[in-house]
Amino acid sequence: MLRLEGVDAFYGDLQALFGVSFEVRDKEIVALVGANAAGKTTSIRVVSGLVAPRGGHVLFDGADLASVPAHRRVELGIVQVPEGRRLFPFMTVRENLLLGAHTERARAEKERTLQYVLALFPVLGERAGQLAGSLSGGEQQMCAIGRALMARPRLLMLDEPTLGLAPVLVGRIFETVRTINADGVTILLVEQNVRQALTLAHRACVLESGRLVLSGPARELLGDERLKRAYLGL
């Protein structure tokens, strides 16, 4: 479904990605793991169109996305849940959710998708009229994921979805990601909780200082000695 080929990306004169290549296959979960400033968020920002690569190619369903602006990528089914949730705090939960259904394809299925989201996250139905800014951190993350699902993604990119959450909520978010994937949505997951991410994902890519250093089946990477020493404290 998605392929990055030799992608270089910069912020001004600072190079953040160096020839990064990986693929995400239809209906799978791929985890991007690594330390802070490894290039994980930049990778998904390149896919979503928020950062333009200076080298290489990003292909979606075999088509190069170079000339496709960010809002058109959403219409193609590429949807990102940003780190920090980025909700509209003075709008209600329901209003935040409905904002996700802004493309023509999503509007046509808006009510059916909303019922799916509320079945995944019943607490959002209970808080539907509440201001999003008054939700707990875990509830805000559920709302952010729900808003993304309202866009009816084919590829859902999650940037640090468990950051700052209590352990019990971390487990709940990961189980929800598993359910969303089982319902047919392809997932690209950026996550610092390496053990959890590798347990959840089908395949994984490890980034260090903007370079891809390891990739393969996630369960196999759990046993990689370099990864154990660097990220699992073993």
Side-chain angles (χ1 to χ4, degrees), residues 168-208:
V168 64
L169 290 175
V170 169
R172 190 178 304 172
I173 292 295
F174 276 117
E175 281 305 311
T176 302
V177 172
R178 194 189 306 276
T179 298
I180 293 167
N181 176 247
D183 289 336
V185 179
T186 304
I187 306 285
L188 180 57
L189 172 68
V190 166
E191 180 59 55
Q192 286 194 44
N193 190 329
V194 174
R195 188 186 299 277
Q196 288 265 31
L198 294 183
T199 301
L200 174 70
H202 300 105
R203 292 187 303 107
C205 302
V206 182
L207 293 171
E208 286 184 4

PDB file of all heavy atoms in Angstrom, residues 168-208:
ATOM      1  N   VAL A 168      -2.678   1.379  32.494  1.00  0.00           N
ATOM      2  CA  VAL A 168      -3.938   0.699  32.165  1.00  0.00           C
ATOM      3  C   VAL A 168      -4.528   1.244  30.872  1.00  0.00           C
ATOM      4  O   VAL A 168      -5.116   0.499  30.074  1.00  0.00           O
ATOM      5  CB  VAL A 168      -4.940   0.811  33.338  1.00  0.00           C
ATOM      6  CG1 VAL A 168      -5.346   2.272  33.583  1.00  0.00           C
ATOM      7  CG2 VAL A 168      -6.169  -0.052  33.080  1.00  0.00           C
ATOM      8  N   LEU A 169      -4.348   2.539  30.621  1.00  0.00           N
ATOM      9  CA  LEU A 169      -4.857   3.140  29.386  1.00  0.00           C
ATOM     10  C   LEU A 169      -3.985   2.788  28.197  1.00  0.00           C
ATOM     11  O   LEU A 169      -4.483   2.674  27.073  1.00  0.00           O
ATOM     12  CB  LEU A 169      -4.953   4.660  29.545  1.00  0.00           C
ATOM     13  CG  LEU A 169      -6.045   5.148  30.486  1.00  0.00           C
ATOM     14  CD1 LEU A 169      -5.965   6.660  30.659  1.00  0.00           C
ATOM     15  CD2 LEU A 169      -7.425   4.752  29.973  1.00  0.00           C
ATOM     16  N   VAL A 170      -2.686   2.617  28.436  1.00  0.00           N
ATOM     17  CA  VAL A 170      -1.794   2.199  27.356  1.00  0.00           C
ATOM     18  C   VAL A 170      -2.269   0.875  26.771  1.00  0.00           C
ATOM     19  O   VAL A 170      -2.393   0.705  25.556  1.00  0.00           O
ATOM     20  CB  VAL A 170      -0.335   2.071  27.866  1.00  0.00           C
ATOM     21  CG1 VAL A 170       0.547   1.391  26.822  1.00  0.00           C
ATOM     22  CG2 VAL A 170       0.224   3.447  28.215  1.00  0.00           C
ATOM     23  N   GLY A 171      -2.559  -0.074  27.653  1.00  0.00           N
ATOM     24  CA  GLY A 171      -3.052  -1.367  27.189  1.00  0.00           C
ATOM     25  C   GLY A 171      -4.350  -1.255  26.424  1.00  0.00           C
ATOM     26  O   GLY A 171      -4.554  -1.936  25.407  1.00  0.00           O
ATOM     27  N   ARG A 172      -5.233  -0.371  26.882  1.00  0.00           N
ATOM     28  CA  ARG A 172      -6.520  -0.199  26.210  1.00  0.00           C
ATOM     29  C   ARG A 172      -6.349   0.390  24.815  1.00  0.00           C
ATOM     30  O   ARG A 172      -7.009  -0.035  23.861  1.00  0.00           O
ATOM     31  CB  ARG A 172      -7.424   0.712  27.058  1.00  0.00           C
ATOM     32  CG  ARG A 172      -8.869   0.784  26.582  1.00  0.00           C
ATOM     33  CD  ARG A 172      -9.701   1.653  27.498  1.00  0.00           C
ATOM     34  NE  ARG A 172      -9.642   1.187  28.884  1.00  0.00           N
ATOM     35  CZ  ARG A 172     -10.153   1.874  29.900  1.00  0.00           C
ATOM     36  NH1 ARG A 172     -10.737   3.038  29.696  1.00  0.00           N
ATOM     37  NH2 ARG A 172     -10.069   1.378  31.119  1.00  0.00           N
ATOM     38  N   ILE A 173      -5.447   1.370  24.682  1.00  0.00           N
ATOM     39  CA  ILE A 173      -5.200   1.978  23.372  1.00  0.00           C
ATOM     40  C   ILE A 173      -4.625   0.949  22.408  1.00  0.00           C
ATOM     41  O   ILE A 173      -5.042   0.853  21.244  1.00  0.00           O
ATOM     42  CB  ILE A 173      -4.262   3.194  23.494  1.00  0.00           C
ATOM     43  CG1 ILE A 173      -4.949   4.343  24.244  1.00  0.00           C
ATOM     44  CG2 ILE A 173      -3.799   3.665  22.111  1.00  0.00           C
ATOM     45  CD1 ILE A 173      -6.143   4.942  23.559  1.00  0.00           C
ATOM     46  N   PHE A 174      -3.674   0.147  22.868  1.00  0.00           N
ATOM     47  CA  PHE A 174      -3.091  -0.869  21.993  1.00  0.00           C
ATOM     48  C   PHE A 174      -4.123  -1.901  21.569  1.00  0.00           C
ATOM     49  O   PHE A 174      -4.127  -2.350  20.413  1.00  0.00           O
ATOM     50  CB  PHE A 174      -1.910  -1.551  22.679  1.00  0.00           C
ATOM     51  CG  PHE A 174      -0.612  -0.802  22.537  1.00  0.00           C
ATOM     52  CD1 PHE A 174       0.052  -0.302  23.655  1.00  0.00           C
ATOM     53  CD2 PHE A 174      -0.052  -0.594  21.290  1.00  0.00           C
ATOM     54  CE1 PHE A 174       1.248   0.388  23.525  1.00  0.00           C
ATOM     55  CE2 PHE A 174       1.150   0.097  21.148  1.00  0.00           C
ATOM     56  CZ  PHE A 174       1.797   0.594  22.275  1.00  0.00           C
ATOM     57  N   GLU A 175      -5.006  -2.294  22.462  1.00  0.00           N
ATOM     58  CA  GLU A 175      -6.051  -3.243  22.093  1.00  0.00           C
ATOM     59  C   GLU A 175      -6.999  -2.637  21.067  1.00  0.00           C
ATOM     60  O   GLU A 175      -7.473  -3.320  20.152  1.00  0.00           O
ATOM     61  CB  GLU A 175      -6.826  -3.690  23.336  1.00  0.00           C
ATOM     62  CG  GLU A 175      -6.106  -4.749  24.155  1.00  0.00           C
ATOM     63  CD  GLU A 175      -5.732  -5.967  23.309  1.00  0.00           C
ATOM     64  OE1 GLU A 175      -6.597  -6.490  22.574  1.00  0.00           O
ATOM     65  OE2 GLU A 175      -4.560  -6.383  23.369  1.00  0.00           O
ATOM     66  N   THR A 176      -7.285  -1.351  21.208  1.00  0.00           N
ATOM     67  CA  THR A 176      -8.147  -0.680  20.237  1.00  0.00           C
ATOM     68  C   THR A 176      -7.484  -0.616  18.868  1.00  0.00           C
ATOM     69  O   THR A 176      -8.135  -0.818  17.837  1.00  0.00           O
ATOM     70  CB  THR A 176      -8.499   0.742  20.722  1.00  0.00           C
ATOM     71  OG1 THR A 176      -9.137   0.657  21.991  1.00  0.00           O
ATOM     72  CG2 THR A 176      -9.414   1.444  19.738  1.00  0.00           C
ATOM     73  N   VAL A 177      -6.179  -0.341  18.843  1.00  0.00           N
ATOM     74  CA  VAL A 177      -5.442  -0.339  17.568  1.00  0.00           C
ATOM     75  C   VAL A 177      -5.524  -1.712  16.915  1.00  0.00           C
ATOM     76  O   VAL A 177      -5.729  -1.830  15.700  1.00  0.00           O
ATOM     77  CB  VAL A 177      -3.974   0.078  17.794  1.00  0.00           C
ATOM     78  CG1 VAL A 177      -3.153  -0.113  16.520  1.00  0.00           C
ATOM     79  CG2 VAL A 177      -3.900   1.527  18.260  1.00  0.00           C
ATOM     80  N   ARG A 178      -5.404  -2.755  17.714  1.00  0.00           N
ATOM     81  CA  ARG A 178      -5.514  -4.115  17.180  1.00  0.00           C
ATOM     82  C   ARG A 178      -6.899  -4.340  16.570  1.00  0.00           C
ATOM     83  O   ARG A 178      -7.040  -4.934  15.497  1.00  0.00           O
ATOM     84  CB  ARG A 178      -5.252  -5.132  18.288  1.00  0.00           C
ATOM     85  CG  ARG A 178      -5.007  -6.555  17.773  1.00  0.00           C
ATOM     86  CD  ARG A 178      -4.966  -7.548  18.922  1.00  0.00           C
ATOM     87  NE  ARG A 178      -4.001  -7.185  19.946  1.00  0.00           N
ATOM     88  CZ  ARG A 178      -2.709  -7.471  19.899  1.00  0.00           C
ATOM     89  NH1 ARG A 178      -2.227  -8.120  18.859  1.00  0.00           N
ATOM     90  NH2 ARG A 178      -1.903  -7.108  20.884  1.00  0.00           N
ATOM     91  N   THR A 179      -7.937  -3.847  17.242  1.00  0.00           N
ATOM     92  CA  THR A 179      -9.316  -4.002  16.739  1.00  0.00           C
ATOM     93  C   THR A 179      -9.513  -3.236  15.435  1.00  0.00           C
ATOM     94  O   THR A 179     -10.114  -3.755  14.483  1.00  0.00           O
ATOM     95  CB  THR A 179     -10.318  -3.488  17.797  1.00  0.00           C
ATOM     96  OG1 THR A 179     -10.189  -4.273  18.987  1.00  0.00           O
ATOM     97  CG2 THR A 179     -11.748  -3.574  17.285  1.00  0.00           C
ATOM     98  N   ILE A 180      -9.008  -2.007  15.374  1.00  0.00           N
ATOM     99  CA  ILE A 180      -9.138  -1.199  14.162  1.00  0.00           C
ATOM    100  C   ILE A 180      -8.464  -1.904  12.988  1.00  0.00           C
ATOM    101  O   ILE A 180      -9.000  -1.950  11.871  1.00  0.00           O
ATOM    102  CB  ILE A 180      -8.525   0.203  14.391  1.00  0.00           C
ATOM    103  CG1 ILE A 180      -9.353   0.980  15.420  1.00  0.00           C
ATOM    104  CG2 ILE A 180      -8.441   0.985  13.072  1.00  0.00           C
ATOM    105  CD1 ILE A 180      -8.666   2.232  15.925  1.00  0.00           C
ATOM    106  N   ASN A 181      -7.296  -2.469  13.231  1.00  0.00           N
ATOM    107  CA  ASN A 181      -6.587  -3.214  12.191  1.00  0.00           C
ATOM    108  C   ASN A 181      -7.380  -4.446  11.765  1.00  0.00           C
ATOM    109  O   ASN A 181      -7.493  -4.747  10.569  1.00  0.00           O
ATOM    110  CB  ASN A 181      -5.196  -3.592  12.681  1.00  0.00           C
ATOM    111  CG  ASN A 181      -4.436  -4.448  11.699  1.00  0.00           C
ATOM    112  OD1 ASN A 181      -4.170  -5.612  11.968  1.00  0.00           O
ATOM    113  ND2 ASN A 181      -4.094  -3.901  10.550  1.00  0.00           N
ATOM    114  N   ALA A 182      -7.944  -5.165  12.733  1.00  0.00           N
ATOM    115  CA  ALA A 182      -8.737  -6.355  12.414  1.00  0.00           C
ATOM    116  C   ALA A 182      -9.964  -5.999  11.588  1.00  0.00           C
ATOM    117  O   ALA A 182     -10.476  -6.828  10.824  1.00  0.00           O
ATOM    118  CB  ALA A 182      -9.157  -7.060  13.696  1.00  0.00           C
ATOM    119  N   ASP A 183     -10.431  -4.748  11.706  1.00  0.00           N
ATOM    120  CA  ASP A 183     -11.576  -4.282  10.920  1.00  0.00           C
ATOM    121  C   ASP A 183     -11.173  -3.802   9.536  1.00  0.00           C
ATOM    122  O   ASP A 183     -12.004  -3.259   8.798  1.00  0.00           O
ATOM    123  CB  ASP A 183     -12.311  -3.168  11.679  1.00  0.00           C
ATOM    124  CG  ASP A 183     -13.052  -3.691  12.903  1.00  0.00           C
ATOM    125  OD1 ASP A 183     -13.384  -4.889  12.923  1.00  0.00           O
ATOM    126  OD2 ASP A 183     -13.296  -2.902  13.833  1.00  0.00           O
ATOM    127  N   GLY A 184      -9.886  -3.978   9.174  1.00  0.00           N
ATOM    128  CA  GLY A 184      -9.467  -3.737   7.802  1.00  0.00           C
ATOM    129  C   GLY A 184      -8.639  -2.496   7.546  1.00  0.00           C
ATOM    130  O   GLY A 184      -8.319  -2.195   6.397  1.00  0.00           O
ATOM    131  N   VAL A 185      -8.276  -1.756   8.607  1.00  0.00           N
ATOM    132  CA  VAL A 185      -7.496  -0.522   8.434  1.00  0.00           C
ATOM    133  C   VAL A 185      -6.010  -0.847   8.602  1.00  0.00           C
ATOM    134  O   VAL A 185      -5.608  -1.471   9.581  1.00  0.00           O
ATOM    135  CB  VAL A 185      -7.923   0.555   9.450  1.00  0.00           C
ATOM    136  CG1 VAL A 185      -7.076   1.815   9.273  1.00  0.00           C
ATOM    137  CG2 VAL A 185      -9.406   0.880   9.301  1.00  0.00           C
ATOM    138  N   THR A 186      -5.207  -0.403   7.652  1.00  0.00           N
ATOM    139  CA  THR A 186      -3.759  -0.554   7.729  1.00  0.00           C
ATOM    140  C   THR A 186      -3.208   0.492   8.699  1.00  0.00           C
ATOM    141  O   THR A 186      -3.658   1.641   8.707  1.00  0.00           O
ATOM    142  CB  THR A 186      -3.135  -0.373   6.336  1.00  0.00           C
ATOM    143  OG1 THR A 186      -3.760  -1.307   5.440  1.00  0.00           O
ATOM    144  CG2 THR A 186      -1.645  -0.612   6.353  1.00  0.00           C
ATOM    145  N   ILE A 187      -2.228   0.097   9.521  1.00  0.00           N
ATOM    146  CA  ILE A 187      -1.728   0.965  10.588  1.00  0.00           C
ATOM    147  C   ILE A 187      -0.224   1.181  10.435  1.00  0.00           C
ATOM    148  O   ILE A 187       0.540   0.220  10.273  1.00  0.00           O
ATOM    149  CB  ILE A 187      -1.979   0.353  11.981  1.00  0.00           C
ATOM    150  CG1 ILE A 187      -3.463  -0.020  12.186  1.00  0.00           C
ATOM    151  CG2 ILE A 187      -1.474   1.280  13.088  1.00  0.00           C
ATOM    152  CD1 ILE A 187      -4.383   1.127  12.425  1.00  0.00           C
ATOM    153  N   LEU A 188       0.196   2.454  10.514  1.00  0.00           N
ATOM    154  CA  LEU A 188       1.604   2.809  10.668  1.00  0.00           C
ATOM    155  C   LEU A 188       1.730   3.479  12.033  1.00  0.00           C
ATOM    156  O   LEU A 188       1.166   4.554  12.255  1.00  0.00           O
ATOM    157  CB  LEU A 188       2.071   3.735   9.550  1.00  0.00           C
ATOM    158  CG  LEU A 188       3.536   4.183   9.594  1.00  0.00           C
ATOM    159  CD1 LEU A 188       4.488   3.000   9.614  1.00  0.00           C
ATOM    160  CD2 LEU A 188       3.855   5.107   8.419  1.00  0.00           C
ATOM    161  N   LEU A 189       2.445   2.835  12.945  1.00  0.00           N
ATOM    162  CA  LEU A 189       2.473   3.231  14.350  1.00  0.00           C
ATOM    163  C   LEU A 189       3.846   3.753  14.738  1.00  0.00           C
ATOM    164  O   LEU A 189       4.847   3.036  14.619  1.00  0.00           O
ATOM    165  CB  LEU A 189       2.107   2.018  15.219  1.00  0.00           C
ATOM    166  CG  LEU A 189       2.255   2.160  16.731  1.00  0.00           C
ATOM    167  CD1 LEU A 189       1.238   3.147  17.284  1.00  0.00           C
ATOM    168  CD2 LEU A 189       2.099   0.790  17.404  1.00  0.00           C
ATOM    169  N   VAL A 190       3.893   4.992  15.208  1.00  0.00           N
ATOM    170  CA  VAL A 190       5.107   5.559  15.806  1.00  0.00           C
ATOM    171  C   VAL A 190       4.957   5.452  17.312  1.00  0.00           C
ATOM    172  O   VAL A 190       3.979   5.934  17.881  1.00  0.00           O
ATOM    173  CB  VAL A 190       5.298   7.030  15.387  1.00  0.00           C
ATOM    174  CG1 VAL A 190       6.345   7.702  16.269  1.00  0.00           C
ATOM    175  CG2 VAL A 190       5.705   7.119  13.926  1.00  0.00           C
ATOM    176  N   GLU A 191       5.925   4.810  17.962  1.00  0.00           N
ATOM    177  CA  GLU A 191       5.744   4.512  19.376  1.00  0.00           C
ATOM    178  C   GLU A 191       7.092   4.340  20.066  1.00  0.00           C
ATOM    179  O   GLU A 191       7.970   3.637  19.571  1.00  0.00           O
ATOM    180  CB  GLU A 191       4.907   3.233  19.526  1.00  0.00           C
ATOM    181  CG  GLU A 191       4.635   2.783  20.929  1.00  0.00           C
ATOM    182  CD  GLU A 191       3.911   3.827  21.755  1.00  0.00           C
ATOM    183  OE1 GLU A 191       2.831   4.306  21.340  1.00  0.00           O
ATOM    184  OE2 GLU A 191       4.443   4.170  22.831  1.00  0.00           O
ATOM    185  N   GLN A 192       7.260   5.013  21.230  1.00  0.00           N
ATOM    186  CA  GLN A 192       8.487   4.866  22.005  1.00  0.00           C
ATOM    187  C   GLN A 192       8.435   3.654  22.927  1.00  0.00           C
ATOM    188  O   GLN A 192       9.469   3.202  23.410  1.00  0.00           O
ATOM    189  CB  GLN A 192       8.748   6.131  22.829  1.00  0.00           C
ATOM    190  CG  GLN A 192       9.235   7.298  21.991  1.00  0.00           C
ATOM    191  CD  GLN A 192       9.813   8.420  22.841  1.00  0.00           C
ATOM    192  OE1 GLN A 192      10.566   8.197  23.769  1.00  0.00           O
ATOM    193  NE2 GLN A 192       9.432   9.637  22.503  1.00  0.00           N
ATOM    194  N   ASN A 193       7.237   3.153  23.199  1.00  0.00           N
ATOM    195  CA  ASN A 193       7.104   1.941  24.008  1.00  0.00           C
ATOM    196  C   ASN A 193       7.427   0.748  23.100  1.00  0.00           C
ATOM    197  O   ASN A 193       6.555   0.127  22.514  1.00  0.00           O
ATOM    198  CB  ASN A 193       5.684   1.836  24.567  1.00  0.00           C
ATOM    199  CG  ASN A 193       5.541   0.744  25.594  1.00  0.00           C
ATOM    200  OD1 ASN A 193       6.220  -0.282  25.536  1.00  0.00           O
ATOM    201  ND2 ASN A 193       4.655   0.952  26.554  1.00  0.00           N
ATOM    202  N   VAL A 194       8.728   0.462  22.984  1.00  0.00           N
ATOM    203  CA  VAL A 194       9.207  -0.465  21.963  1.00  0.00           C
ATOM    204  C   VAL A 194       8.661  -1.871  22.168  1.00  0.00           C
ATOM    205  O   VAL A 194       8.201  -2.518  21.219  1.00  0.00           O
ATOM    206  CB  VAL A 194      10.751  -0.470  21.929  1.00  0.00           C
ATOM    207  CG1 VAL A 194      11.268  -1.539  20.968  1.00  0.00           C
ATOM    208  CG2 VAL A 194      11.269   0.901  21.518  1.00  0.00           C
ATOM    209  N   ARG A 195       8.687  -2.362  23.397  1.00  0.00           N
ATOM    210  CA  ARG A 195       8.234  -3.728  23.634  1.00  0.00           C
ATOM    211  C   ARG A 195       6.762  -3.894  23.261  1.00  0.00           C
ATOM    212  O   ARG A 195       6.370  -4.855  22.583  1.00  0.00           O
ATOM    213  CB  ARG A 195       8.445  -4.114  25.103  1.00  0.00           C
ATOM    214  CG  ARG A 195       8.173  -5.597  25.376  1.00  0.00           C
ATOM    215  CD  ARG A 195       8.258  -5.898  26.859  1.00  0.00           C
ATOM    216  NE  ARG A 195       9.570  -5.605  27.392  1.00  0.00           N
ATOM    217  CZ  ARG A 195      10.607  -6.432  27.320  1.00  0.00           C
ATOM    218  NH1 ARG A 195      10.476  -7.601  26.709  1.00  0.00           N
ATOM    219  NH2 ARG A 195      11.765  -6.110  27.853  1.00  0.00           N
ATOM    220  N   GLN A 196       5.924  -2.950  23.693  1.00  0.00           N
ATOM    221  CA  GLN A 196       4.499  -3.019  23.369  1.00  0.00           C
ATOM    222  C   GLN A 196       4.280  -2.932  21.868  1.00  0.00           C
ATOM    223  O   GLN A 196       3.460  -3.653  21.287  1.00  0.00           O
ATOM    224  CB  GLN A 196       3.751  -1.886  24.083  1.00  0.00           C
ATOM    225  CG  GLN A 196       3.615  -2.063  25.578  1.00  0.00           C
ATOM    226  CD  GLN A 196       2.283  -2.697  25.952  1.00  0.00           C
ATOM    227  OE1 GLN A 196       1.727  -3.485  25.210  1.00  0.00           O
ATOM    228  NE2 GLN A 196       1.781  -2.340  27.122  1.00  0.00           N
ATOM    229  N   ALA A 197       5.006  -2.012  21.219  1.00  0.00           N
ATOM    230  CA  ALA A 197       4.828  -1.821  19.784  1.00  0.00           C
ATOM    231  C   ALA A 197       5.209  -3.072  19.005  1.00  0.00           C
ATOM    232  O   ALA A 197       4.512  -3.481  18.063  1.00  0.00           O
ATOM    233  CB  ALA A 197       5.655  -0.627  19.306  1.00  0.00           C
ATOM    234  N   LEU A 198       6.305  -3.701  19.377  1.00  0.00           N
ATOM    235  CA  LEU A 198       6.762  -4.888  18.663  1.00  0.00           C
ATOM    236  C   LEU A 198       5.861  -6.090  18.945  1.00  0.00           C
ATOM    237  O   LEU A 198       5.742  -6.990  18.115  1.00  0.00           O
ATOM    238  CB  LEU A 198       8.208  -5.216  19.034  1.00  0.00           C
ATOM    239  CG  LEU A 198       9.262  -4.196  18.602  1.00  0.00           C
ATOM    240  CD1 LEU A 198      10.654  -4.680  18.965  1.00  0.00           C
ATOM    241  CD2 LEU A 198       9.177  -3.888  17.118  1.00  0.00           C
ATOM    242  N   THR A 199       5.238  -6.101  20.100  1.00  0.00           N
ATOM    243  CA  THR A 199       4.297  -7.170  20.410  1.00  0.00           C
ATOM    244  C   THR A 199       3.023  -7.030  19.586  1.00  0.00           C
ATOM    245  O   THR A 199       2.413  -8.019  19.166  1.00  0.00           O
ATOM    246  CB  THR A 199       3.959  -7.164  21.913  1.00  0.00           C
ATOM    247  OG1 THR A 199       5.163  -7.342  22.667  1.00  0.00           O
ATOM    248  CG2 THR A 199       2.979  -8.276  22.271  1.00  0.00           C
ATOM    249  N   LEU A 200       2.634  -5.792  19.317  1.00  0.00           N
ATOM    250  CA  LEU A 200       1.406  -5.508  18.577  1.00  0.00           C
ATOM    251  C   LEU A 200       1.588  -5.647  17.068  1.00  0.00           C
ATOM    252  O   LEU A 200       0.710  -6.167  16.368  1.00  0.00           O
ATOM    253  CB  LEU A 200       0.940  -4.080  18.901  1.00  0.00           C
ATOM    254  CG  LEU A 200      -0.257  -3.533  18.129  1.00  0.00           C
ATOM    255  CD1 LEU A 200      -1.542  -4.249  18.545  1.00  0.00           C
ATOM    256  CD2 LEU A 200      -0.385  -2.032  18.357  1.00  0.00           C
ATOM    257  N   ALA A 201       2.726  -5.183  16.546  1.00  0.00           N
ATOM    258  CA  ALA A 201       2.909  -5.022  15.098  1.00  0.00           C
ATOM    259  C   ALA A 201       3.206  -6.342  14.399  1.00  0.00           C
ATOM    260  O   ALA A 201       3.699  -7.304  14.990  1.00  0.00           O
ATOM    261  CB  ALA A 201       4.036  -4.028  14.826  1.00  0.00           C
ATOM    262  N   HIS A 202       2.919  -6.364  13.091  1.00  0.00           N
ATOM    263  CA  HIS A 202       3.339  -7.469  12.238  1.00  0.00           C
ATOM    264  C   HIS A 202       4.808  -7.310  11.842  1.00  0.00           C
ATOM    265  O   HIS A 202       5.574  -8.268  11.864  1.00  0.00           O
ATOM    266  CB  HIS A 202       2.479  -7.522  10.969  1.00  0.00           C
ATOM    267  CG  HIS A 202       1.025  -7.706  11.242  1.00  0.00           C
ATOM    268  ND1 HIS A 202       0.113  -6.683  11.122  1.00  0.00           N
ATOM    269  CD2 HIS A 202       0.324  -8.793  11.657  1.00  0.00           C
ATOM    270  CE1 HIS A 202      -1.095  -7.142  11.418  1.00  0.00           C
ATOM    271  NE2 HIS A 202      -0.996  -8.402  11.751  1.00  0.00           N
ATOM    272  N   ARG A 203       5.183  -6.108  11.450  1.00  0.00           N
ATOM    273  CA  ARG A 203       6.568  -5.819  11.083  1.00  0.00           C
ATOM    274  C   ARG A 203       6.977  -4.511  11.728  1.00  0.00           C
ATOM    275  O   ARG A 203       6.123  -3.719  12.145  1.00  0.00           O
ATOM    276  CB  ARG A 203       6.743  -5.738   9.561  1.00  0.00           C
ATOM    277  CG  ARG A 203       6.562  -7.073   8.856  1.00  0.00           C
ATOM    278  CD  ARG A 203       6.906  -7.022   7.370  1.00  0.00           C
ATOM    279  NE  ARG A 203       6.121  -6.006   6.681  1.00  0.00           N
ATOM    280  CZ  ARG A 203       6.607  -4.845   6.242  1.00  0.00           C
ATOM    281  NH1 ARG A 203       7.887  -4.554   6.390  1.00  0.00           N
ATOM    282  NH2 ARG A 203       5.817  -3.990   5.628  1.00  0.00           N
ATOM    283  N   ALA A 204       8.284  -4.270  11.788  1.00  0.00           N
ATOM    284  CA  ALA A 204       8.776  -3.054  12.421  1.00  0.00           C
ATOM    285  C   ALA A 204      10.017  -2.540  11.721  1.00  0.00           C
ATOM    286  O   ALA A 204      10.752  -3.299  11.083  1.00  0.00           O
ATOM    287  CB  ALA A 204       9.081  -3.307  13.901  1.00  0.00           C
ATOM    288  N   CYS A 205      10.227  -1.238  11.851  1.00  0.00           N
ATOM    289  CA  CYS A 205      11.416  -0.568  11.331  1.00  0.00           C
ATOM    290  C   CYS A 205      12.027   0.237  12.473  1.00  0.00           C
ATOM    291  O   CYS A 205      11.309   0.936  13.204  1.00  0.00           O
ATOM    292  CB  CYS A 205      11.054   0.377  10.184  1.00  0.00           C
ATOM    293  SG  CYS A 205      10.221  -0.421   8.792  1.00  0.00           S
ATOM    294  N   VAL A 206      13.331   0.152  12.628  1.00  0.00           N
ATOM    295  CA  VAL A 206      14.042   0.874  13.676  1.00  0.00           C
ATOM    296  C   VAL A 206      14.844   1.998  13.035  1.00  0.00           C
ATOM    297  O   VAL A 206      15.652   1.757  12.127  1.00  0.00           O
ATOM    298  CB  VAL A 206      14.973  -0.057  14.469  1.00  0.00           C
ATOM    299  CG1 VAL A 206      15.665   0.710  15.594  1.00  0.00           C
ATOM    300  CG2 VAL A 206      14.195  -1.251  15.026  1.00  0.00           C
ATOM    301  N   LEU A 207      14.599   3.218  13.513  1.00  0.00           N
ATOM    302  CA  LEU A 207      15.306   4.389  13.013  1.00  0.00           C
ATOM    303  C   LEU A 207      16.289   4.888  14.058  1.00  0.00           C
ATOM    304  O   LEU A 207      15.976   4.909  15.259  1.00  0.00           O
ATOM    305  CB  LEU A 207      14.319   5.517  12.666  1.00  0.00           C
ATOM    306  CG  LEU A 207      13.373   5.269  11.490  1.00  0.00           C
ATOM    307  CD1 LEU A 207      12.315   6.368  11.426  1.00  0.00           C
ATOM    308  CD2 LEU A 207      14.140   5.205  10.181  1.00  0.00           C
ATOM    309  N   GLU A 208      17.457   5.304  13.606  1.00  0.00           N
ATOM    310  CA  GLU A 208      18.450   5.953  14.458  1.00  0.00           C
ATOM    311  C   GLU A 208      19.027   7.134  13.709  1.00  0.00           C
ATOM    312  O   GLU A 208      19.539   6.970  12.598  1.00  0.00           O
ATOM    313  CB  GLU A 208      19.579   4.981  14.844  1.00  0.00           C
ATOM    314  CG  GLU A 208      19.200   3.943  15.874  1.00  0.00           C
ATOM    315  CD  GLU A 208      20.387   3.081  16.291  1.00  0.00           C
ATOM    316  OE1 GLU A 208      21.515   3.367  15.825  1.00  0.00           O
ATOM    317  OE2 GLU A 208      20.185   2.120  17.055  1.00  0.00           O
TER     318      GLU A 208
END
